[in-house]
Amino acid sequence: TRYFDILTGKGCPFRCTFCINALEDFYDREYRGMSAERILDEVEYLMDKHGAQHFKFVDELFFVNRKRLMRFLDLVEERKLTFTWTANIRADYFTRSYVNKQLLQRIKDAGCVFLTMGVESGSQRMLDFMKKDLKVESTIAAAEALAEIGVTGGFSFMYALPGETNEDVRETFRLIQKLYKIHPDTYIFGPAIFRPYPGNSLYDLCVEQGFPEKKHLDDWD
């Protein structure tokens, strides 16, 4: 399948302390996105000009603007477009009535085959520490909803954060096992080792705890 990445917006309104979006000197937590019309104009161009069949919307959070999402789905139907796509979503959107069963069916009918989300840990203590504003139960609910509708879910995890214990890591692997039992067509990213990005609070904590401070780009070699 010929596929293309499309960036439809920049920024993320959430406050995860490990993320590059927590670097306030470089990133804006306000999301700024293209209109649904422009997104699908690009999709149609790539389909007609280059034979594209699948698209990955690479925004930090494609679903952050619900009004735009609904317009996107309407236009896919109005233009009678047939393509497949994947995008990033938050797990708690499935428990905050943002994505109910009816809307998830529309998303699937519009060609979505894969939804990815950063859930990071199976330990609620670590989620709170990272300021994920996410409950472990929301990750489980997301997997259940995707299994019922028949869309593949991708869940990313990390470990080796400051203060993380062996039991926290075990809780992460127990959650991964549970996700596979709920939805065998689940894809797990990682668990990846935490990377301390200079400029956010977790990096500062690492330095306080003995991580050698990197003041120049060459220091990372």
Side-chain angles (χ1 to χ4, degrees):
T1 299
R2 176 167 290 191
Y3 91 93
F4 285 81
D5 290 346
I6 298 180
L7 179 65
T8 75
K10 297 180 180 180
C12 179
F14 292 91
R15 58 180 187 144
C16 309
T17 56
F18 60 84
C19 184
I20 57 172
N21 286 290
L23 309 181
E24 295 184 358
D25 290 342
F26 297 97
Y27 289 89
D28 191 342
R29 284 178 59 186
E30 179 183 356
Y31 180 83
R32 304 173 306 286
M34 301 191 308
S35 67
E37 287 80 2
R38 181 175 172 185
I39 296 170
L40 288 172
D41 286 346
E42 290 200 15
V43 166
E44 286 195 84
Y45 171 81
L46 292 169
M47 291 174 68
D48 295 340
K49 185 73 173 179
H50 298 287
Q53 300 165 292
H54 179 81
F55 299 91
K56 181 180 179 181
F57 300 122
V58 297
D59 309 37
E60 296 284 352
L61 192 55
F62 179 76
F63 285 79
V64 69
N65 186 329
R66 197 173 193 273
K67 182 178 180 180
R68 186 185 74 162
L69 171 65
M70 302 307 292
R71 181 61 177 158
F72 173 86
L73 298 175
D74 290 341
L75 288 174
V76 171
E77 296 171 2
E78 292 174 13
R79 299 187 187 187
K80 295 181 172 56
L81 297 176
T82 302
F83 62 93
T84 56
W85 53 280
T86 182
N88 295 326
I89 191 171
R90 278 193 46 108
D92 60 340
Y93 282 5
F94 295 88
T95 51
R96 289 199 283 133
S97 300
Y98 185 111
V99 179
N100 55 29
K101 184 176 181 180
Q102 181 181 8
L103 179 54
L104 192 55
Q105 184 64 57
R106 281 197 70 196
I107 291 169
K108 179 182 179 182
D109 292 343
C112 180
V113 293
F114 191 41
L115 289 174
T116 61
M117 58 208 84
V119 298
E120 315 314 345
S121 180
S123 164
Q124 189 61 54
R125 187 182 77 87
M126 293 308 298
L127 290 175
D128 295 341
F129 171 72
M130 290 183 266
K131 297 183 180 179
K132 277 292 297 182
D133 297 327
L134 179 70
K135 298 296 184 183
V136 173
E137 291 76 13
S138 295
T139 301
I140 295 171
E144 291 172 342
L146 293 173
E148 182 177 0
I149 210 72
V151 172
T152 300
F155 301 84
S156 69
F157 290 88
M158 67 170 64
Y159 72 107
L161 284 87
E164 188 173 37
T165 66
N166 288 337
E167 180 56 27
D168 291 321
V169 176
R170 282 191 285 268
E171 288 184 3
T172 291
F173 280 94
R174 283 194 286 266
L175 177 58
I176 291 172
Q177 290 175 326
K178 181 175 291 187
L179 296 178
Y180 276 128
K181 289 180 180 178
I182 294 171
H183 191 9
D185 194 26
T186 288
Y187 188 92
I188 300 297
F189 297 93
I193 296 174
F194 161 66
R195 291 165 292 185
Y197 295 119
N200 63 31
S201 58
L202 276 189
Y203 174 84
D204 296 337
L205 179 59
C206 289
V207 171
E208 290 176 12
Q209 296 184 356
F211 183 78
E213 188 173 6
K214 312 291 187 179
K215 295 184 178 181
H216 305 284
L217 185 61
D218 289 343
D219 294 341
W220 292 90
D221 187 357

